[in-house]
Every structure is written in C-alpha cells, then in structure tokens.
Amino acid sequence: MQRERQPVREPTGPRRSGEPLRLTEVHYRMWARFAGPAWLRRLLGDRNGLRLDAGGLSVRLGPWLVTTPLDNLAGAAVTGPYRPWRALGPHLSLADRGLTLGTTTERGVCLSFRGPVRGLDPWGLVRHPGLTVTVDEPELVAEVVNRIAGHGSSVTT
C-alpha cells in the first residue's frame, strides 16, 4: 500500500508551471501527519499530527493532546514494528507510564522528555516520560528532535 507523503519543508519563492519545486529547510518548524491509510487521515482531519516550531512540540490525536517546550525534549529514536493492541489509538504503558498515540503498527518515533508531560488524562494526574507517535517520516522527526535536544543523528532501534 502506497502512502501519500507530505513534505515537511516549505517551498521557496513562486513556482512557474513545469519548474521543479525547490525546498528549503525551516529550522524548528515542522509538521508531520500520522501514518496510516488515507481514509484514516481524512477521518482524523488536519488538526491531528505532530507540530514542532519555536513554541514547542505539540502532538494531537483526536481529543488527546501532548505539548511541551523545546527545552524539555531529551531525544528521539525510530522504533517499530508494534503489536496492534499496543500501537493503535492511545495506549499507556504500565511499565514506564509512556504514552503511545498510534495509527499504524509499522514504525514510529519514540520521543523522550527531560521532565514528564501531560497527555492521556485531561487532569494531568498521569505524567508521561516518553511519547511514541506513528508519523509518516519517523526518521526525519527523530533527526530534528535529536538536533534540538543536542544529540547527533537519530538512533534506530
């Protein structure tokens, strides 16, 4: 099954018909859609996904929202594949209180934080030291997060 890919870089300047699209990386500004079939992404809508900019990290899947400032990002690693009962929808790990917001069992990126964040419950009673999200381009997300966190490139597990 082929997936639609959305560029996470922004085009520069006006584009004439037939001219190739030139892309420029915009530092600390990124948008990544959740991976999965096109019908699921249409159902979720444009508000769902991972947003990373100077204001911080924001991940939304339906009513679940995780936000944190950039200085709370500790690192990221590409992970997967996952078991369906642990990767689809929201899932709380009983082992480490990590949160998963998933739409596919294939691959995702595990984000770790310096301090735990709110996410699963609306009152913030459960705080999460990590978040796994199944975005379209987990390698790119991991690389950007690791650069912000002060690491080199992403570590794939």
Side-chain angles (χ1 to χ4, degrees):
M1 171 175 20
Q2 187 147 13
R3 292 198 181 122
E4 301 169 28
R5 296 250 182 220
Q6 295 291 326
V8 291
R9 298 179 180 104
E10 295 186 348
T12 60
R15 190 173 139 197
R16 290 182 226 142
S17 179
E19 183 179 341
L21 180 64
R22 295 176 296 150
L23 297 175
T24 302
E25 184 172 340
V26 178
H27 297 282
Y28 303 128
R29 187 169 182 205
M30 176 182 223
W31 169 255
R33 290 178 177 253
F34 277 98
W39 66 265
L40 178 61
R41 285 186 276 166
R42 282 192 301 275
L43 180 71
L44 291 173
D46 290 336
R47 291 183 48 201
N48 292 276
L50 180 144
R51 181 177 309 275
L52 183 66
D53 57 27
L57 171 81
S58 173
V59 180
R60 176 179 291 276
L61 178 64
W64 295 279
L65 175 66
V66 176
T67 60
T68 192
L70 294 179
D71 60 0
N72 194 34
L73 296 174
V78 176
T79 59
Y82 312 108
R83 296 181 184 123
W85 58 90
R86 290 189 177 173
L88 300 176
H91 174 77
L92 173 67
S93 168
L94 298 177
D96 66 358
R97 295 183 338 272
L99 176 61
T100 297
L101 298 177
T103 55
T104 181
T105 59
E106 293 175 20
R107 291 179 314 135
V109 61
C110 180
L111 308 169
S112 56
F113 306 113
R114 297 184 199 291
V117 298
R118 296 171 63 160
L120 189 60
D121 71 296
W123 303 279
L125 299 175
V126 178
R127 301 277 177 146
H128 312 285
L131 171 67
T132 300
V133 291
T134 55
V135 292
D136 262 344
E137 298 186 46
E139 293 86 3
L140 184 57
V141 172
E143 181 180 338
V144 171
V145 168
N146 283 328
R147 284 185 182 182
I148 291 170
H151 303 295
S153 62
S154 64
V155 177
T156 304
T157 58

